[in-house]
Each structure stands twice: as C-alpha cells, then as structure tokens.
Amino acid sequence: MGLQSLLWEDIKSTELANIKDERLTELGERMNDWSLKPSGTEGYRTAEVTRGGVDTKEVSSKTMESKLQPNLYFIGEVLDVTGWLGGYNFQWAWASGFVCGEVV
C-alpha cells in the first residue's frame, strides 16, 4: 500500500474546504514527520545543481516578489536559474536573498 493510500485514501475525492481542520492538521503532521533515508551517494564528483523551478519571468528582479501572488517571494535555487559549476549557485542564493531581504 502506497503512501497516498495510507494518508488520504478516505478523503481523496473530498473538496479541500470540506475536510475538517483536525484531519488537515493530522496530514500535515504526518507529512512533516515523514523521513527518507538515502541508500547511498555518488559523492561530490557528480554533484550538480538541477534545472527547473519558478520561472524568473513571473518574479520581480528588483524584489524577488511573485508577479502572480502579492507578498510571495522566491530566492535561490527555487527559481529556474542555471549556472556553471563552481559556486555560482551560492552567489545566486546570497544575491537573491539580499535583494529580497531589503524589501521584506
């Protein structure tokens, strides 16, 4: 039986507004307590940043605020920004975090 069956089989066809707060709290707690145990690693030799994330066209470059949802901000690797290996992702995380921090 998969995780979906264990957690929300009883409410999978229920509209969110019709699910009791207690049940949503229970689901949240179970999801937050869920742990994954990696079976191994390939080490730093093959470690890289992956592509994907929030489209930068949907985010203000001056504030990092979503253009679609006011008061929602995105920084760092959650955004679809790809660079060469060598610390560029760290610089992007720091720079975007700084810009966002100036307005939040």
XYZ file of all heavy atoms in Angstrom:
819
model
N 0.851 -1.175 0.000
C 0.000 0.000 0.000
C 0.893 1.233 0.000
O 1.800 1.359 0.788
C -0.890 -0.037 1.244
C -1.961 1.000 1.250
S -3.053 0.903 2.691
C -4.014 -0.533 2.311
N 0.665 2.171 -0.926
C 1.499 3.356 -1.057
C 1.180 4.405 -0.011
O 0.177 4.328 0.698
N 2.053 5.400 0.038
C 1.886 6.491 0.999
C 0.548 7.191 0.805
O -0.131 7.515 1.766
C 3.029 7.501 0.841
C 3.009 8.699 1.774
C 3.143 8.245 3.213
C 4.101 9.665 1.421
N 0.144 7.400 -0.454
C -1.137 8.075 -0.720
C -2.290 7.308 -0.087
O -3.157 7.888 0.553
C -1.374 8.219 -2.219
C -2.684 8.914 -2.523
C -2.919 9.077 -4.016
O -2.060 8.783 -4.812
N -4.085 9.549 -4.367
N -2.287 6.010 -0.247
C -3.367 5.201 0.315
C -3.403 5.308 1.827
O -4.466 5.368 2.429
C -3.184 3.737 -0.090
O -3.259 3.621 -1.484
N -2.241 5.330 2.439
C -2.183 5.395 3.892
C -2.623 6.743 4.447
O -3.236 6.813 5.498
C -0.750 5.113 4.365
C -0.230 3.708 4.099
C 1.247 3.625 4.458
C -1.020 2.689 4.891
N -2.316 7.804 3.738
C -2.561 9.135 4.289
C -3.918 9.738 3.957
O -4.512 10.385 4.793
C -1.466 10.103 3.834
C -0.091 9.876 4.423
C 0.880 10.910 3.896
C -0.128 9.915 5.937
N -4.383 9.568 2.728
C -5.596 10.284 2.381
C -6.573 9.522 1.493
O -7.380 10.112 0.802
C -5.287 11.627 1.753
C -4.276 11.584 0.655
C -4.450 11.127 -0.612
C -2.941 12.019 0.727
N -3.307 11.247 -1.329
C -2.343 11.802 -0.526
C -2.169 12.583 1.740
C -1.031 12.125 -0.793
C -0.855 12.899 1.453
C -0.303 12.666 0.215
N -6.541 8.237 1.548
C -7.492 7.431 0.783
C -8.936 7.799 1.133
O -9.791 7.897 0.262
C -7.250 5.945 1.033
C -8.148 5.022 0.243
C -7.881 5.043 -1.258
O -6.733 5.311 -1.661
O -8.826 4.809 -2.027
N -9.176 8.077 2.402
C -10.535 8.375 2.860
C -11.053 9.740 2.411
O -12.251 9.989 2.430
C -10.598 8.283 4.388
C -9.655 9.264 5.069
O -8.511 9.424 4.583
O -10.054 9.863 6.077
N -10.164 10.629 1.965
C -10.601 11.979 1.596
C -10.161 12.377 0.187
O -10.288 13.532 -0.191
C -10.071 13.024 2.604
C -8.549 12.952 2.694
C -10.736 12.871 3.951
C -7.920 14.061 3.496
N -9.692 11.426 -0.603
C -9.107 11.775 -1.901
C -10.094 12.442 -2.858
O -9.684 13.172 -3.741
C -8.463 10.559 -2.557
C -9.438 9.486 -2.999
C -8.685 8.334 -3.623
C -9.656 7.272 -4.114
N -8.938 6.128 -4.653
N -11.373 12.240 -2.668
C -12.369 12.862 -3.548
C -13.105 14.011 -2.863
O -14.076 14.539 -3.399
C -13.389 11.801 -3.996
O -12.745 10.787 -4.725
N -12.644 14.406 -1.701
C -13.302 15.462 -0.928
C -12.692 16.819 -1.263
O -11.474 16.945 -1.356
C -13.131 15.199 0.591
O -13.571 13.877 0.877
C -13.914 16.191 1.409
N -13.527 17.834 -1.453
C -13.024 19.186 -1.674
C -12.295 19.645 -0.418
O -12.715 19.357 0.704
C -14.166 20.135 -1.988
C -14.816 19.877 -3.326
C -15.924 20.863 -3.629
O -16.127 21.813 -2.850
O -16.593 20.682 -4.656
N -11.209 20.374 -0.625
C -10.379 20.827 0.486
C -11.190 21.568 1.548
O -11.001 21.356 2.744
C -9.251 21.717 -0.037
C -8.206 22.165 0.963
C -7.506 20.969 1.602
C -7.191 23.063 0.299
N -12.103 22.413 1.130
C -12.911 23.195 2.069
C -13.793 22.308 2.951
O -14.232 22.738 4.014
C -13.775 24.193 1.313
N -14.031 21.069 2.533
C -14.891 20.166 3.284
C -14.125 19.175 4.152
O -14.726 18.285 4.748
C -15.821 19.418 2.325
C -16.795 20.359 1.643
O -17.235 21.336 2.230
N -17.101 20.076 0.398
N -12.827 19.332 4.224
C -12.022 18.462 5.080
C -11.839 19.164 6.417
O -11.468 20.336 6.463
C -10.660 18.157 4.443
C -10.848 17.473 3.080
C -9.821 17.273 5.365
C -9.572 17.304 2.287
N -12.115 18.465 7.492
C -12.045 19.062 8.827
C -10.613 19.493 9.151
O -9.647 18.843 8.754
C -12.536 18.069 9.878
C -14.008 17.764 9.730
C -14.499 16.873 10.850
C -15.974 16.627 10.620
N -16.713 16.271 11.768
N -10.505 20.592 9.899
C -9.208 21.127 10.280
C -8.348 20.088 10.989
O -7.139 20.010 10.771
C -9.368 22.360 11.178
C -9.890 23.571 10.417
O -9.858 23.553 9.171
O -10.321 24.526 11.086
N -8.975 19.293 11.840
C -8.232 18.272 12.589
C -7.577 17.267 11.641
O -6.458 16.826 11.863
C -9.155 17.528 13.569
C -9.714 18.397 14.676
C -10.925 19.224 14.248
O -11.547 18.935 13.208
O -11.218 20.207 14.958
N -8.302 16.914 10.576
C -7.773 15.951 9.598
C -6.615 16.573 8.818
O -5.605 15.919 8.559
C -8.886 15.507 8.640
C -8.472 14.450 7.650
C -8.208 13.108 8.361
N -8.033 12.084 7.370
C -6.847 11.554 7.046
N -5.765 11.941 7.672
N -6.764 10.643 6.114
N -6.740 17.846 8.449
C -5.658 18.533 7.755
C -4.432 18.668 8.644
O -3.297 18.495 8.186
C -6.129 19.915 7.284
C -7.199 19.914 6.193
C -7.680 21.331 5.933
C -6.682 19.267 4.923
N -4.650 18.945 9.921
C -3.542 19.028 10.866
C -2.836 17.680 10.972
O -1.603 17.608 10.962
C -4.048 19.482 12.251
O -4.615 20.786 12.122
C -2.922 19.512 13.269
N -3.627 16.620 11.057
C -3.058 15.274 11.124
C -2.217 14.974 9.881
O -1.096 14.462 9.986
C -4.170 14.234 11.253
C -3.649 12.797 11.220
C -4.755 11.771 11.016
O -5.947 12.134 10.961
O -4.402 10.587 10.885
N -2.736 15.301 8.709
C -1.991 15.074 7.472
C -0.683 15.870 7.469
O 0.362 15.345 7.093
C -2.834 15.469 6.258
C -3.940 14.515 5.866
C -4.799 15.137 4.772
C -3.377 13.192 5.406
N -0.771 17.123 7.885
C 0.427 17.959 7.939
C 1.479 17.393 8.867
O 2.663 17.347 8.532
N 1.056 16.946 10.030
C 1.994 16.376 10.993
C 2.640 15.109 10.453
O 3.842 14.895 10.590
C 1.282 16.094 12.321
C 0.931 17.361 13.077
C 0.038 17.109 14.289
O -0.404 15.949 14.495
O -0.213 18.083 15.016
N 1.844 14.260 9.825
C 2.387 13.005 9.279
C 3.352 13.272 8.137
O 4.382 12.613 8.023
C 1.259 12.087 8.845
C 0.486 11.587 10.097
C -0.403 10.431 9.869
N 0.285 9.259 9.347
C -0.351 8.214 8.838
N -1.664 8.202 8.802
N 0.313 7.192 8.376
N 3.017 14.248 7.292
C 3.925 14.579 6.188
C 5.222 15.192 6.714
O 6.299 14.888 6.226
C 3.245 15.534 5.204
C 2.103 14.913 4.427
S 2.593 13.527 3.382
C 3.599 14.346 2.168
N 5.121 16.071 7.712
C 6.316 16.698 8.274
C 7.188 15.705 9.029
O 8.399 15.887 9.118
C 5.935 17.863 9.187
C 5.490 19.073 8.400
O 5.998 19.340 7.325
N 4.526 19.802 8.925
N 6.597 14.662 9.577
C 7.355 13.648 10.307
C 7.932 12.563 9.401
O 8.700 11.730 9.843
C 6.471 12.981 11.374
C 6.174 13.902 12.540
O 6.911 14.894 12.715
O 5.201 13.641 13.264
N 7.530 12.576 8.126
C 7.985 11.562 7.179
C 9.466 11.760 6.927
O 9.926 12.857 6.644
C 7.189 11.700 5.891
C 7.426 10.617 4.890
C 7.656 9.305 5.141
C 7.432 10.750 3.473
N 7.794 8.618 3.973
C 7.658 9.477 2.929
C 7.251 11.823 2.612
C 7.723 9.253 1.566
C 7.307 11.597 1.261
C 7.549 10.324 0.746
N 10.232 10.713 7.056
C 11.664 10.830 6.807
C 12.089 9.864 5.711
O 11.528 8.781 5.552
C 12.456 10.555 8.095
O 12.240 9.230 8.529
N 13.066 10.301 4.967
C 13.644 9.494 3.904
C 15.068 9.152 4.299
O 15.790 10.003 4.820
C 13.662 10.262 2.578
C 12.319 10.677 2.022
C 12.516 11.575 0.804
C 11.495 9.461 1.648
N 15.472 7.944 4.027
C 16.829 7.536 4.325
C 17.526 7.201 3.008
O 17.203 6.200 2.376
C 16.835 6.323 5.257
C 18.221 5.923 5.689
C 18.187 4.795 6.696
C 19.594 4.439 7.102
N 19.602 3.351 8.058
N 18.451 8.064 2.576
C 19.161 7.787 1.330
C 19.911 6.461 1.420
O 20.440 6.097 2.470
C 20.151 8.950 1.202
C 19.603 10.017 2.086
C 18.879 9.310 3.194
N 19.956 5.759 0.321
C 20.641 4.467 0.314
C 22.108 4.595 -0.066
O 22.863 3.643 0.014
C 19.947 3.506 -0.662
O 19.992 4.037 -1.971
N 22.510 5.775 -0.486
C 23.907 5.965 -0.860
C 24.105 7.311 -1.531
O 23.186 8.115 -1.631
N 25.320 7.539 -2.001
C 25.662 8.789 -2.665
C 26.699 8.526 -3.739
O 27.440 7.540 -3.669
C 26.193 9.829 -1.670
O 26.531 11.020 -2.387
C 27.412 9.330 -0.927
N 26.727 9.390 -4.720
C 27.775 9.320 -5.729
C 28.916 10.260 -5.380
O 29.893 10.355 -6.107
C 27.197 9.668 -7.101
C 26.221 8.628 -7.605
C 25.778 8.922 -9.030
O 26.524 9.581 -9.773
O 24.680 8.475 -9.380
N 28.779 11.009 -4.278
C 29.845 11.902 -3.834
C 29.873 13.220 -4.576
O 29.043 13.500 -5.441
N 30.849 14.033 -4.233
C 30.965 15.364 -4.813
C 31.388 15.334 -6.277
O 31.179 16.289 -7.010
C 31.971 16.208 -4.020
C 31.434 16.607 -2.679
C 31.897 16.020 -1.510
C 30.448 17.589 -2.576
C 31.393 16.383 -0.282
C 29.926 17.959 -1.352
C 30.415 17.355 -0.209
O 29.914 17.721 0.998
N 31.968 14.247 -6.734
C 32.427 14.144 -8.114
C 31.306 14.416 -9.105
O 31.513 15.047 -10.140
C 33.018 12.760 -8.361
C 33.584 12.550 -9.754
C 34.052 11.115 -9.963
N 32.967 10.154 -9.847
C 32.077 9.883 -10.825
N 32.136 10.512 -11.971
N 31.132 8.991 -10.639
N 30.105 13.975 -8.802
C 28.989 14.126 -9.730
C 27.914 15.086 -9.219
O 26.861 15.206 -9.840
C 28.327 12.756 -10.004
O 27.878 12.213 -8.767
C 29.301 11.803 -10.666
N 28.159 15.760 -8.110
C 27.157 16.664 -7.537
C 26.978 17.885 -8.436
O 27.941 18.510 -8.850
C 27.576 17.093 -6.136
N 25.732 18.199 -8.750
C 25.415 19.355 -9.583
C 24.070 19.933 -9.175
O 23.267 19.274 -8.548
C 25.323 18.963 -11.058
C 26.627 18.534 -11.664
C 26.493 18.296 -13.151
O 25.726 19.035 -13.807
O 27.146 17.378 -13.650
N 23.840 21.153 -9.588
C 22.545 21.792 -9.409
C 21.654 21.325 -10.555
O 22.102 21.183 -11.676
C 22.701 23.322 -9.431
C 21.352 24.006 -9.356
C 23.597 23.771 -8.301
N 20.397 21.084 -10.259
C 19.470 20.670 -11.312
C 18.703 21.859 -11.855
O 18.667 22.921 -11.240
C 18.476 19.619 -10.784
O 17.749 20.192 -9.697
C 19.200 18.373 -10.315
N 18.095 21.658 -12.980
C 17.300 22.712 -13.605
C 15.856 22.647 -13.142
O 15.404 21.649 -12.624
C 17.333 22.560 -15.117
C 18.683 22.810 -15.709
C 18.603 22.695 -17.202
N 19.934 22.865 -17.759
C 20.152 23.056 -19.026
N 19.156 23.081 -19.873
N 21.373 23.212 -19.464
N 15.147 23.721 -13.407
C 13.737 23.762 -13.075
C 13.472 24.715 -11.941
O 14.390 25.245 -11.325
N 12.232 24.954 -11.680
C 11.857 25.849 -10.602
C 10.896 26.914 -11.099
O 10.371 26.849 -12.204
N 10.706 27.922 -10.282
C 9.790 29.013 -10.598
C 10.378 29.821 -11.752
O 11.554 30.205 -11.723
C 9.570 29.912 -9.362
C 8.722 31.117 -9.701
C 8.952 29.114 -8.226
N 9.580 30.087 -12.763
C 10.014 30.845 -13.933
C 10.370 32.273 -13.513
O 9.573 32.963 -12.881
C 8.886 30.871 -14.965
C 9.323 31.424 -16.304
O 10.303 32.204 -16.360
O 8.668 31.080 -17.302
N 11.562 32.719 -13.873
C 12.011 34.058 -13.480
C 11.183 35.168 -14.120
O 11.176 36.290 -13.624
C 13.488 34.261 -13.830
O 13.685 34.001 -15.226
C 14.374 33.353 -13.005
N 10.464 34.873 -15.194
C 9.586 35.871 -15.809
C 8.414 36.203 -14.895
O 7.772 37.234 -15.054
C 9.044 35.356 -17.146
C 10.093 35.200 -18.210
C 9.451 34.639 -19.463
C 10.514 34.073 -20.373
N 9.963 33.167 -21.374
N 8.130 35.321 -13.938
C 7.000 35.511 -13.029
C 7.412 36.136 -11.697
O 6.634 36.186 -10.760
C 6.321 34.163 -12.781
C 5.743 33.548 -14.042
C 5.188 32.158 -13.831
O 5.347 31.604 -12.729
O 4.596 31.617 -14.788
N 8.687 36.623 -11.628
C 9.216 37.170 -10.381
C 9.889 38.512 -10.665
O 10.633 38.650 -11.633
C 10.243 36.186 -9.762
C 10.878 36.769 -8.513
C 9.577 34.855 -9.452
N 9.647 39.489 -9.817
C 10.295 40.791 -9.948
C 11.784 40.658 -9.660
O 12.170 40.155 -8.606
C 9.684 41.798 -8.979
O 10.506 42.934 -8.861
N 12.634 41.145 -10.554
C 14.081 41.094 -10.333
C 14.533 42.128 -9.306
O 15.636 42.039 -8.782
C 14.823 41.312 -11.651
O 14.518 42.599 -12.170
N 13.687 43.088 -8.993
C 14.038 44.119 -8.017
C 13.702 43.716 -6.587
O 14.332 44.167 -5.638
C 13.338 45.435 -8.357
C 13.778 46.025 -9.688
C 13.101 47.360 -9.909
C 13.354 47.944 -11.264
N 14.689 48.054 -11.704
N 12.698 42.856 -6.421
C 12.246 42.488 -5.081
C 12.165 40.978 -4.840
O 12.020 40.546 -3.717
C 10.845 43.066 -4.806
O 9.918 42.453 -5.705
C 10.831 44.578 -4.962
N 12.185 40.186 -5.899
C 12.007 38.729 -5.861
C 10.572 38.342 -5.517
O 10.279 37.206 -5.197
C 12.997 38.044 -4.894
C 14.458 38.419 -5.116
S 15.000 38.335 -6.834
C 14.912 36.609 -7.145
N 9.652 39.298 -5.597
C 8.240 39.037 -5.323
C 7.558 38.441 -6.549
O 7.814 38.848 -7.687
C 7.523 40.326 -4.920
C 6.066 40.120 -4.551
C 5.391 41.390 -4.084
O 5.888 42.496 -4.383
O 4.352 41.286 -3.407
N 6.675 37.507 -6.313
C 5.886 36.911 -7.388
C 5.038 37.970 -8.061
O 4.433 38.803 -7.391
C 4.981 35.811 -6.821
O 4.044 35.394 -7.789
N 4.997 37.927 -9.382
C 4.117 38.823 -10.132
C 2.690 38.286 -10.155
O 1.765 39.004 -10.502
C 4.622 38.979 -11.565
C 5.955 39.700 -11.652
C 6.432 39.780 -13.087
C 7.774 40.469 -13.179
N 8.271 40.494 -14.572
N 2.529 37.022 -9.761
C 1.212 36.392 -9.788
C 0.519 36.393 -8.426
O -0.696 36.354 -8.346
C 1.346 34.945 -10.273
C 2.018 34.755 -11.635
C 2.176 33.280 -11.948
C 1.224 35.461 -12.713
N 1.318 36.433 -7.344
C 0.755 36.372 -5.991
C 1.478 37.381 -5.108
O 2.617 37.149 -4.724
C 0.913 34.963 -5.410
C 0.399 34.806 -3.996
C -1.085 35.039 -3.890
O -1.855 34.495 -4.654
N -1.498 35.869 -2.953
N 0.830 38.501 -4.776
C 1.469 39.505 -3.928
C 1.923 38.904 -2.586
O 1.307 37.990 -2.053
C 0.367 40.543 -3.701
C -0.574 40.353 -4.843
C -0.519 38.887 -5.176
N 3.032 39.425 -2.071
C 3.610 39.017 -0.786
C 4.137 37.585 -0.778
O 4.307 36.999 0.288
C 2.619 39.223 0.364
C 2.256 40.678 0.526
O 3.137 41.543 0.514
N 0.980 40.966 0.639
N 4.418 37.022 -1.943
C 5.043 35.714 -2.057
C 6.378 35.933 -2.757
O 6.435 36.495 -3.842
C 4.165 34.755 -2.854
C 4.717 33.346 -3.083
C 4.899 32.617 -1.749
C 3.793 32.567 -4.000
N 7.470 35.510 -2.101
C 8.810 35.779 -2.601
C 9.551 34.464 -2.860
O 9.343 33.483 -2.148
C 9.590 36.607 -1.574
C 8.970 37.963 -1.343
C 7.910 38.125 -0.457
C 9.439 39.080 -2.017
C 7.327 39.372 -0.254
C 8.871 40.334 -1.813
C 7.819 40.459 -0.928
O 7.245 41.690 -0.738
N 10.421 34.476 -3.857
C 11.219 33.306 -4.198
C 12.682 33.720 -4.299
O 13.008 34.741 -4.907
C 10.779 32.722 -5.545
C 9.349 32.267 -5.574
C 8.368 33.052 -6.149
C 8.998 31.043 -5.034
C 7.050 32.634 -6.192
C 7.673 30.611 -5.068
C 6.709 31.406 -5.649
N 13.573 32.901 -3.734
C 15.004 33.185 -3.823
C 15.773 31.891 -4.065
O 15.253 30.788 -3.885
C 15.538 33.873 -2.544
C 15.363 32.977 -1.321
C 14.869 35.227 -2.330
C 16.084 33.484 -0.085
N 17.007 32.042 -4.459
C 17.927 30.913 -4.569
C 17.500 29.863 -5.575
O 16.947 30.164 -6.625
N 17.759 28.627 -5.235
C 17.573 27.527 -6.169
C 16.122 27.132 -6.402
O 15.852 26.261 -7.217
C 18.388 26.322 -5.713
C 19.873 26.575 -5.848
C 20.721 25.373 -5.531
O 20.169 24.286 -5.268
O 21.947 25.514 -5.554
N 15.189 27.775 -5.719
C 13.776 27.513 -6.003
C 13.392 28.151 -7.342
O 12.405 27.780 -7.948
C 12.867 28.005 -4.851
C 12.742 29.517 -4.865
C 11.515 27.355 -4.912
N 14.217 29.091 -7.816
C 13.980 29.738 -9.104
C 14.697 28.996 -10.222
O 15.724 28.356 -10.002
C 14.472 31.189 -9.050
C 13.608 32.094 -8.185
C 14.400 33.291 -7.708
C 12.382 32.539 -8.962
N 14.179 29.106 -11.422
C 14.764 28.435 -12.584
C 15.945 29.252 -13.108
O 15.845 29.969 -14.095
C 13.701 28.253 -13.676
C 14.210 27.401 -14.825
O 15.267 26.764 -14.674
O 13.543 27.371 -15.875
N 17.060 29.159 -12.391
C 18.299 29.835 -12.768
C 19.379 28.771 -12.805
O 19.576 28.039 -11.832
C 18.671 30.931 -11.742
C 20.013 31.550 -12.070
C 17.585 31.996 -11.696
N 20.062 28.675 -13.931
C 21.100 27.656 -14.093
C 22.421 28.341 -14.379
O 22.496 29.257 -15.193
C 20.746 26.707 -15.261
O 19.469 26.134 -15.006
C 21.769 25.606 -15.399
N 23.477 27.914 -13.701
C 24.807 28.472 -13.925
C 25.844 27.365 -13.976
O 25.545 26.195 -13.756
N 27.058 27.755 -14.279
C 28.167 26.802 -14.309
C 28.469 26.324 -12.897
O 28.162 26.993 -11.921
C 29.410 27.468 -14.890
C 29.239 27.876 -16.308
C 28.972 29.140 -16.775
C 29.289 27.032 -17.450
N 28.850 29.130 -18.132
C 29.052 27.839 -18.579
C 29.516 25.678 -17.638
C 29.038 27.338 -19.867
C 29.500 25.174 -18.932
C 29.266 26.000 -20.022
N 29.097 25.182 -12.801
C 29.560 24.689 -11.504
C 30.668 25.603 -10.991
O 31.380 26.215 -11.766
C 30.091 23.261 -11.631
C 29.063 22.200 -12.020
C 29.735 20.849 -12.182
C 27.969 22.113 -10.986
N 30.796 25.685 -9.690
C 31.877 26.478 -9.130
C 31.421 27.560 -8.183
O 32.074 28.586 -8.035
N 30.287 27.387 -7.550
C 29.853 28.347 -6.551
C 28.864 29.385 -7.042
O 28.416 30.231 -6.273
N 28.526 29.343 -8.326
C 27.596 30.326 -8.854
C 26.225 30.206 -8.192
O 25.539 31.205 -7.984
C 27.464 30.197 -10.373
C 28.752 30.518 -11.092
C 29.607 29.513 -11.498
C 29.108 31.846 -11.339
C 30.798 29.808 -12.156
C 30.281 32.152 -11.986
C 31.126 31.127 -12.394
O 32.292 31.427 -13.029
N 25.823 28.976 -7.863
C 24.530 28.808 -7.199
C 24.539 29.442 -5.809
O 23.547 29.992 -5.367
C 24.125 27.335 -7.139
C 25.121 26.483 -6.397
O 26.327 26.713 -6.471
N 24.640 25.484 -5.698
N 25.683 29.388 -5.124
C 25.782 30.048 -3.823
C 25.640 31.562 -3.993
O 24.927 32.219 -3.245
C 27.119 29.754 -3.146
C 27.255 28.343 -2.685
C 28.349 27.589 -3.076
C 26.310 27.759 -1.859
C 28.492 26.283 -2.648
C 26.443 26.455 -1.428
C 27.536 25.717 -1.828
N 26.343 32.115 -4.981
C 26.268 33.558 -5.219
C 24.846 33.985 -5.548
O 24.358 34.999 -5.068
C 27.214 33.975 -6.340
C 27.168 35.455 -6.651
C 27.472 36.322 -5.442
O 28.342 36.012 -4.638
N 26.736 37.422 -5.289
N 24.169 33.179 -6.374
C 22.780 33.491 -6.723
C 21.900 33.438 -5.475
O 21.046 34.302 -5.274
C 22.273 32.537 -7.793
C 20.798 32.645 -7.996
C 19.869 31.686 -7.762
C 20.066 33.786 -8.430
N 18.603 32.156 -8.024
C 18.703 33.452 -8.441
C 20.430 35.078 -8.807
C 17.708 34.346 -8.813
C 19.431 35.973 -9.174
C 18.094 35.604 -9.181
N 22.096 32.451 -4.627
C 21.297 32.339 -3.405
C 21.523 33.556 -2.507
O 20.568 34.141 -1.984
C 21.641 31.052 -2.668
N 22.778 33.947 -2.336
C 23.080 35.099 -1.486
C 22.534 36.389 -2.085
O 21.943 37.214 -1.390
C 24.587 35.227 -1.267
C 25.173 34.075 -0.506
C 24.587 33.380 0.515
C 26.449 33.477 -0.724
N 25.433 32.380 0.946
C 26.577 32.415 0.210
C 27.490 33.706 -1.604
C 27.704 31.619 0.286
C 28.620 32.920 -1.531
C 28.718 31.887 -0.593
N 22.756 36.588 -3.375
C 22.329 37.828 -4.026
C 20.806 37.960 -4.046
O 20.258 39.020 -3.718
C 22.892 37.902 -5.449
N 20.124 36.900 -4.411
C 18.661 36.975 -4.464
C 18.089 37.106 -3.051
O 17.102 37.814 -2.836
C 18.070 35.762 -5.189
O 18.396 34.547 -4.547
N 18.705 36.454 -2.092
C 18.269 36.584 -0.702
C 18.462 38.002 -0.180
O 17.609 38.541 0.532
N 19.581 38.626 -0.553
C 19.840 40.003 -0.142
C 18.794 40.950 -0.712
O 18.220 41.766 -0.013
C 21.249 40.437 -0.582
C 21.543 41.874 -0.275
C 21.970 42.236 0.994
C 21.365 42.847 -1.228
C 22.230 43.567 1.291
C 21.619 44.182 -0.947
C 22.053 44.542 0.317
N 18.550 40.824 -2.031
C 17.555 41.672 -2.699
C 16.194 41.526 -2.030
O 15.520 42.512 -1.733
C 17.475 41.335 -4.205
C 16.272 41.976 -4.848
C 18.755 41.745 -4.904
N 15.788 40.304 -1.787
C 14.501 40.046 -1.148
C 14.480 40.596 0.277
O 13.508 41.215 0.698
C 14.223 38.536 -1.153
S 12.643 38.090 -0.440
N 15.555 40.381 0.998
C 15.630 40.840 2.385
C 15.533 42.360 2.525
O 15.100 42.868 3.554
N 15.940 43.076 1.498
C 15.849 44.525 1.532
C 14.423 45.037 1.511
O 14.153 46.155 1.945
C 16.623 45.138 0.347
C 18.125 44.984 0.444
C 18.714 45.866 1.532
O 18.627 47.095 1.421
O 19.249 45.309 2.508
N 13.488 44.235 1.006
C 12.107 44.700 0.876
C 11.129 43.994 1.804
O 9.991 44.441 1.968
C 11.591 44.587 -0.580
C 12.401 45.462 -1.490
C 11.591 43.161 -1.052
N 11.535 42.894 2.381
C 10.616 42.133 3.240
C 10.662 42.671 4.653
O 11.647 43.021 5.179
C 10.952 40.636 3.222
C 10.124 39.857 4.228
C 10.744 40.077 1.838
